[in-house]
Amino acid sequence: MKYDLVFEGGGAKGMALVGAYEVLAAQGHGFGRLLGTSAGAITAVFLAAGYSSDEMVAVLTEADAAGNPVFASFMGEPPPFSDKEIEQGAFRRLLGGVDLTFIPGFVENPLKDQLAAAVAHTRMTRNFLALVERGGWYSAHNFLTWLRAKLDAGEVDGKPRKFSAMTLAEFYAATGVDVTFCATDTTGGRQLVLNHRTAPDCPLVYAVRMSMSIPLLWDEVIWQQDWGPYQGRDITGHTIVDGGVLSNFPLELFVSDAPFVTAVMGPKQNNPVLGMLLDDVAPVPQPRGLLVKFTIKPTDLATVQRLRGLVDTMLGARDKQVMEAFADLVVALPAGGYGTTEFDMSEPKRNALLDAARAAMRAYLVAHPPLPAASGLAAPPSPAVKDLADTLASRLLAPPTP
């Protein structure tokens, strides 16, 4: 049986998605269309690139030469700031607004230039300036390097993988997989649904990179002119971040068959829809003797926690409505006790997360055996459910009001 799969975002917790898919594949099931946000986008792109579940587990659990999880390197140091970035940046403008009346202007301005340069070039303060100027404490350069390498590693169907330099249109032509990545255009104030229909010239790696760009954590992505238009509109220069800002789990895009939805998602398929949700409430059984590792990160600071809490609350209210409306289509994967940015989790803790996801998927398949002739729901949708899917999709995809 082929399922149209929706993968929720969740940062480091997204490893559970791979454990769940491993069980789905082991029971002889495959996928039709794929839809992913953030960590879900990473899972989706590997599946579309022909990775088996075993290959994905190996990729997502690999360690560097020192034995540290490769994922831990994704929170990389910001690259150096150019002189132009420093001179024209927001921090330098802020300093310019401070009038030190007791210091002559010919001394004050060079002093402010030196202070801005010192902040930019000092390792202890460069992350702060990156947050101010680039929208994220860390650089995602290491993630892009890793993703490109994996999209060109190994073989699929007896041929070498060579996907890293492809656009979304080229990737679809090469694989035949209808895969969509969700991102958020903060300049335009709207959800982006990135696939070969809506943004054919967008580079594949940047579609994934934009989808996983957690605000405040990683530097923002600026849409480049040579990435082409989005749905025929020029969004060059727009700032793009994690798709979870507006919806972390847009399952309704596979349920609704409204024309405005199929215009971006393609015709509705005769596959059952299955959403993989990362459940922060359900605890993950931990092996005995597991040591707790406490690490204070910039994302643990009170201000960042407040902002993330506000966003999580807004997302939770919206996505909770989706989960309740389409409960039969959702498998909840336990992720309680795991952090979104816990990329350096220990091997025992990582294995516990994978095992919990495998158990949840097995239980779901027992309770929801696939129908011989699937319509995308366990039963034909009632008019109320269909109307809700159309309404939620309309709110998500509607352009902002001028």
Side-chain angles (χ1 to χ4, degrees):
M1 175 69 69
K2 284 188 176 182
Y3 286 86
D4 285 347
L5 299 177
V6 182
F7 300 107
E8 189 191 23
K13 296 175 291 185
M15 196 170 295
L17 302 170
V18 179
Y21 181 78
E22 185 180 23
V23 171
L24 194 70
Q27 296 198 16
H29 304 300
F31 60 85
R33 295 183 295 170
L34 300 170
L35 173 60
T37 303
S38 195
I42 299 173
T43 305
V45 77
F46 280 137
L47 284 178
Y51 272 77
S52 68
S53 54
D54 288 343
E55 287 178 310
M56 286 196 296
V57 170
V59 164
L60 298 181
T61 59
E62 67 180 327
D64 61 20
N68 300 312
V70 170
F71 271 32
S73 70
F74 293 171
M75 294 189 290
E77 289 296 319
F81 286 85
S82 67
D83 291 341
K84 183 177 180 180
E85 281 184 288
I86 299 171
E87 293 168 3
Q88 299 181 3
F91 183 67
R92 180 60 183 87
R93 291 197 300 273
L94 177 64
L95 293 177
V98 179
D99 186 9
L100 303 177
T101 57
F102 56 91
I103 298 179
F106 70 89
V107 175
E108 179 180 0
N109 287 329
L111 182 63
K112 291 177 179 177
D113 289 338
Q114 292 175 21
L115 176 58
V119 170
H121 297 313
T122 301
R123 187 173 182 180
M124 295 291 291
T125 54
R126 189 189 303 164
N127 292 86
F128 164 76
L129 194 64
L131 179 63
V132 172
E133 304 291 358
R134 298 169 179 167
W137 192 273
Y138 294 110
S139 167
H141 175 76
N142 291 343
F143 169 77
L144 276 175
T145 300
W146 173 83
L147 180 60
R148 289 189 177 105
K150 297 307 174 186
L151 289 175
D152 288 341
E155 295 184 343
V156 58
D157 296 331
K159 299 178 182 178
R161 284 192 185 95
K162 291 293 179 183
F163 300 136
S164 69
M166 289 186 176
T167 64
L168 291 177
E170 291 168 341
F171 187 59
Y172 174 71
T175 63
V177 179
D178 193 340
V179 58
T180 296
F181 311 103
C182 289
T184 303
D185 178 356
T186 60
T187 303
R190 65 178 299 152
Q191 184 88 5
L192 298 185
V193 180
L194 302 172
N195 56 40
H196 65 282
R197 300 177 194 87
T198 61
D201 297 327
C202 177
L204 172 65
V205 292
Y206 271 99
V208 179
R209 164 72 178 88
M210 288 184 281
S211 184
M212 56 74 71
S213 188
I214 299 174
L216 306 179
L217 185 66
W218 282 298
D219 42 353
E220 301 161 336
V221 178
I222 306 301
W223 192 279
Q224 302 299 304
Q225 186 173 20
D226 58 2
W227 295 357
Y230 174 77
Q231 285 192 292
R233 296 188 305 278
D234 183 9
I235 59 172
T236 300
H238 285 210
T239 299
I240 315 297
V241 299
D242 194 320
V245 170
L246 290 179
S247 176
N248 218 21
F249 194 53
L251 186 135
E252 70 273 19
L253 296 183
F254 275 170
V255 176
S256 174
D257 60 358
F260 67 89
V261 175
T262 58
V264 297
M265 299 301 298
K268 187 169 171 55
Q269 304 298 306
N270 192 36
N271 297 326
V273 175
L274 177 57
M276 299 188 193
L277 170 77
L278 300 169
D279 189 348
D280 291 329
V281 176
V284 176
Q286 297 292 328
R288 291 185 178 181
L290 179 64
L291 297 177
V292 178
K293 180 180 180 181
F294 293 96
T295 304
I296 302 300
K297 304 182 180 71
T299 46
D300 296 327
L301 299 177
T303 301
V304 177
Q305 289 282 17
R306 291 189 186 103
L307 289 171
R308 289 191 57 79
L310 179 61
V311 172
D312 288 345
T313 299
M314 292 186 296
L315 292 179
R318 187 234 175 252
D319 289 337
K320 183 178 180 181
Q321 191 176 15
V322 173
M323 290 177 263
E324 291 175 348
F326 315 119
D328 286 345
L329 309 182
V330 177
V331 53
L333 309 178
Y338 286 74
T340 301
T341 60
E342 196 178 350
F343 295 105
D344 57 348
M345 71 178 70
S346 67
E347 183 177 355
K349 192 172 183 182
R350 181 184 65 216
N351 290 338
L353 181 65
L354 289 168
D355 287 341
R358 292 171 181 132
M361 179 58 80
R362 291 189 191 100
Y364 176 87
L365 291 174
V366 169
H368 301 82
L371 301 176
S375 62
L377 291 168
S382 67
V385 169
K386 185 179 181 304
D387 287 346
L388 179 57
D390 294 347
T391 298
L392 291 172
S394 175
R395 292 173 183 170
L396 184 64
L397 299 179
T401 303

